[in-house]
Amino acid sequence: DTKGALDTYTALMEYDEENGMACYLRGTMYLMTDEPKKALADYQEALEREMGNGALYNKIGENLLNTGHAEEAGKILTQALEKEEETAEDFREKGYSYFLLGKYDEARTYLDKAAGMEDTEAIFYLAKLMEAQGNVEQATLLYESYIGENEGDPELLNTMGLNRMGEGNYEQALTFFRKALEQESPVNLQELRRNEIAALEYLYDFAQARDKMGAYLVDYPEDTAAAREYEFLKSR
């Protein structure tokens, strides 16, 4: 119900003029519905309301990068770099801004600083940096370290599962996906369910994969690729 969501965010923005997250969420809705000008206006309003929130710059930058708006993302992320760092969170978010901009050396400097200040989130970003640079072994060690501190993070567990899939360790990948699915209301539920099915296919457990795909399609009938794959699974 896109209209309902937009109306709700608009009401929140009008009710609380200091609520930057409502602006961010409405902007993200506009971005998802291919209205980038409206999205950028809302994003700028969100940043003005949430002065000093480095994480918000990165959320916006990441959204824009993921939807093909690299130039606009670069402008937002460059704004983030102008903020003076004082806390571990400041160093971490500035490091992640550099990471999103593809400036890996600078990213490493700031993320190392944050990690040295015992910021566990910086470990997660360092793992992403190692992964982007092709150092999968080091990335995996960092992810595992982060999991020890944040065992209930479904996004992280999904990433770990995908790493194990890439290494051909499908049993362990399945374990990570299922652990993520055990968490309460994971935001990446649909992706996790598809990844669980993929791991089962790699393990040649076609019967279980078929049953789970049938249940998946009841909840996500619009996934035409999954529907085609279901036909294949029914023939196994």
Side-chain angles (χ1 to χ4, degrees):
D1 183 3
T2 304
K3 183 180 183 302
L6 290 170
D7 289 346
T8 302
Y9 293 139
T10 299
L12 284 167
M13 290 166 63
E14 293 172 353
Y15 174 76
D16 181 0
E17 294 184 358
E18 295 182 2
N19 188 337
M21 290 310 296
C23 301
Y24 165 75
L25 291 168
R26 192 179 76 170
T28 300
M29 285 296 301
Y30 280 133
L31 195 62
M32 290 168 61
T33 53
D34 200 25
E35 295 192 74
K37 287 185 178 179
K38 290 182 179 180
L40 287 167
D42 276 357
Y43 280 161
Q44 201 57 55
E45 177 69 19
L47 293 172
E48 289 171 9
R49 293 188 184 194
E50 297 275 339
M51 291 293 290
N53 187 342
L56 186 57
Y57 283 90
N58 288 334
K59 285 178 184 289
I60 291 170
E62 205 160 16
N63 287 350
L64 290 167
L65 285 171
N66 289 338
T67 52
H69 300 282
E71 184 178 349
E72 293 82 355
K75 291 176 182 176
I76 295 287
L77 294 168
T78 300
Q79 288 180 43
L81 298 178
E82 296 171 2
K83 184 179 180 296
E84 290 295 323
E85 62 277 351
E86 298 175 2
T87 66
E89 181 181 354
D90 293 337
F91 281 100
R92 177 225 307 157
E93 295 302 334
K94 183 169 280 193
Y96 195 50
S97 296
Y98 275 120
F99 170 78
L100 292 172
L101 287 166
K103 298 181 178 181
Y104 292 160
D105 289 342
E106 294 89 339
R108 180 67 185 265
T109 297
Y110 282 92
L111 291 173
D112 278 342
K113 176 73 173 177
M117 297 167 76
E118 300 186 353
D119 184 282
T120 57
E121 292 297 311
I123 305 247
F124 179 61
Y125 290 140
L126 276 168
K128 291 185 74 167
L129 175 60
M130 293 295 102
E131 194 171 24
Q133 292 180 311
N135 193 339
V136 177
E137 184 177 350
Q138 182 64 24
T140 298
L141 290 173
L142 288 167
Y143 279 131
E144 288 174 345
S145 172
Y146 182 75
I147 282 176
E149 300 287 336
N150 302 271
E151 205 166 290
D153 185 333
E155 183 182 356
L156 174 65
L157 290 166
N158 185 50
T159 299
M160 288 299 300
L162 290 171
N163 281 349
R164 291 299 186 269
M165 289 269 279
E167 296 167 1
N169 191 338
Y170 306 120
E171 285 279 6
Q172 201 166 51
L174 184 61
T175 299
F176 280 119
F177 296 140
R178 286 182 166 170
K179 192 168 187 178
L181 285 165
E182 290 171 4
Q183 308 308 311
E184 186 177 353
S185 303
V187 294
N188 53 344
L189 176 60
Q190 182 178 0
E191 181 184 2
L192 284 169
R193 289 178 65 179
R194 286 289 280 119
N195 288 341
E196 180 191 21
I197 293 165
L200 287 167
E201 289 178 315
Y202 277 114
L203 289 166
Y204 300 104
D205 190 343
F206 295 115
Q208 194 174 174
R210 182 179 61 247
D211 292 344
K212 288 188 175 291
M213 184 66 89
Y216 171 90
L217 285 168
V218 170
D219 294 330
Y220 307 103
E222 73 285 353
D223 191 337
T224 54
R228 289 193 298 271
E229 194 166 342
Y230 187 44
E231 292 303 313
F232 160 76
L233 285 169
K234 287 193 293 185
S235 71
R236 302 298 292 177

